[in-house]
Amino acid sequence: MLNDIFIKPFVDMVEAPDFLLQVLWEGLVSGILYALIALGFVLIFRSSRIFNFAQGIMVVFAALTLVGLHEMGVPAWISVGLTLAVMFVLAVTIERVVLRPLVGQPDIILFMATIGITLFLIGFGEIIFGGENKVMITEELGIPTDSVVLEPWGGLLILEQKDITAVVVAALLVGALLLFLNKTRMGRAIRALGDDHQAALSVGISLQTIWVLVWFIAGIIALVTGIAWGARAGVSFALEVIAYKALPVLMLGGLESITGAIIGGLMIGILEKVFEIYWGQPLLGGNTETWFAFVLALIVLLFRPQGLFGEKIIERV
């Protein structure tokens, strides 16, 4: 038994390095998508102290809107633009109808409001788009669907081109987001609001404008994530469950850390895949990916409650 836990998995990795690379690649693809979703949570929490329970359904709603518009005869890339417009209208509506009237209310009230947004988007989405599974318009968007076959160490490594595209686009989006937050006036305003609400408001930063902006950015992230996940697993309301895999990423990386969201997503994506293949399937019958990330995050929280990259909170009594 001890041999199966501590020795055999590492022997298998050494004996089949090409298969290990395949596992690491699959984990990397999942991890960067987890990180994207976690970024949506982090941005909204930093700017408004709201844990956005609706981020998962925003991924589904954005993907369904894109596919639904294309099914109506709208060209693929025009559908992308219109979907972004829909996500902007959604951001403005949420700020005007939900958030603005609740300014100053306890955090739990704002959290419950995002649950209400989730339920509304589920019902509204089912009315508009129906509840059946849909196929992502991968080829129409110009996303390649072939495979790249490599032979490292004389073995076999298969890279799906749609996964390569997802990784590249996600990396570019993260890079653009970091540049926006660090180099632009509005980006610095978002960071200032996250660092100190009262100080930011006192120098004239508009809370309403920032809220609309961060919810719209979360909508852009949701659309990119919806396209990437939809290309892999189809588009349905079950996609919302995948989005909640970002929760252990937040627990691991910290609710306010953009760096933590990125690194935490990559860590969880890779580690859960490696654990599933080398320990989960041989010893536990598989399906460990459904719970491994949460157990890992719980272990981290036992020793570092603020997460690996969160700031330690010191309260003076």
Side-chain angles (χ1 to χ4, degrees):
M1 184 65 178
L2 292 178
N3 177 72
D4 291 338
I5 296 175
F6 295 107
I7 299 177
K8 187 176 183 301
F10 298 101
V11 172
D12 292 340
M13 294 178 193
V14 173
E15 291 181 345
D18 58 316
F19 182 66
L20 174 61
L21 280 179
Q22 186 74 57
V23 173
L24 293 175
W25 168 253
E26 295 292 335
L28 175 66
V29 174
S30 297
I32 200 165
L33 295 178
Y34 292 160
L36 266 185
I37 303 172
L39 278 175
F41 282 100
V42 169
L43 281 174
I44 291 176
F45 186 82
R46 278 178 62 91
S47 65
S48 59
R49 322 311 296 177
I50 299 172
F51 184 83
N52 180 24
F53 191 80
Q55 187 66 32
I57 194 60
M58 287 172 64
V59 173
V60 179
F61 189 78
L64 285 174
T65 301
L66 174 63
V67 175
L69 287 170
H70 186 69
E71 288 178 346
M72 296 175 187
V74 181
W77 282 102
I78 295 179
S79 296
V80 172
L82 291 176
T83 301
L84 290 175
V86 169
M87 300 311 289
F88 178 75
V89 171
L90 179 64
V92 173
T93 303
I94 289 173
E95 191 279 322
R96 294 286 176 86
V97 177
V98 180
L99 300 182
R100 188 178 296 187
L102 295 178
V103 171
Q105 295 297 316
D107 292 345
I108 186 63
I109 300 297
L110 295 169
F111 174 67
M112 294 299 292
T114 67
I115 295 178
I117 294 170
T118 300
L119 298 176
F120 170 78
L121 289 178
I122 291 174
F124 185 68
E126 288 181 343
I127 291 172
I128 301 298
F129 305 110
E132 67 277 3
N133 293 354
K134 297 182 183 295
V135 178
M136 177 52 65
I137 52 173
T138 308
E139 295 183 3
E140 291 85 348
L141 291 172
I143 299 174
T145 55
D146 295 331
S147 300
V148 176
V149 179
L150 304 176
E151 297 181 357
W153 299 291
L156 183 65
L157 176 62
I158 301 175
L159 308 179
E160 296 285 344
Q161 289 186 357
K162 60 186 177 185
D163 289 343
I164 297 174
T165 303
V167 169
V168 171
V169 171
L172 290 175
L173 180 59
V174 170
L177 181 60
L178 291 176
L179 283 175
F180 172 77
L181 291 174
N182 289 291
K183 301 297 182 180
T184 68
R185 181 173 174 272
M186 292 303 295
R188 288 192 291 269
I190 292 174
R191 292 174 58 205
L193 200 59
D195 292 336
D196 191 326
H197 258 61
Q198 295 302 320
L201 294 175
S202 68
V203 296
I205 293 176
S206 171
L207 184 62
Q208 287 76 25
T209 301
I210 296 300
W211 278 0
V212 170
L213 181 59
V214 294
W215 278 81
F216 178 52
I217 293 173
I220 296 174
I221 292 172
L223 176 58
V224 173
T225 309
I227 293 173
W229 275 116
R232 305 179 86 199
V235 180
S236 69
F237 284 94
L239 203 61
E240 180 187 6
V241 177
I242 297 175
Y244 293 132
K245 291 295 288 291
L247 296 181
V249 175
L250 299 171
M251 295 161 64
L252 189 66
L255 260 175
E256 299 188 48
S257 173
I258 293 174
T259 302
I262 297 170
I263 297 178
L266 294 176
M267 284 179 58
I268 282 182
I270 292 172
L271 290 176
E272 73 172 9
K273 183 63 69 173
V274 170
F275 185 85
E276 165 74 13
I277 297 300
Y278 291 101
W279 283 273
Q281 292 181 4
L283 300 176
L284 303 172
N287 204 32
T288 60
E289 288 177 288
T290 58
W291 54 261
F292 173 81
F294 293 93
V295 173
L296 176 63
L298 179 60
I299 293 172
V300 170
L301 290 180
L302 289 176
F303 298 96
R304 191 173 172 84
Q306 69 272 26
L308 293 177
F309 298 90
E311 296 182 0
K312 190 172 183 179
I313 299 174
I314 300 176
E315 294 185 359
R316 300 187 184 277
V317 181

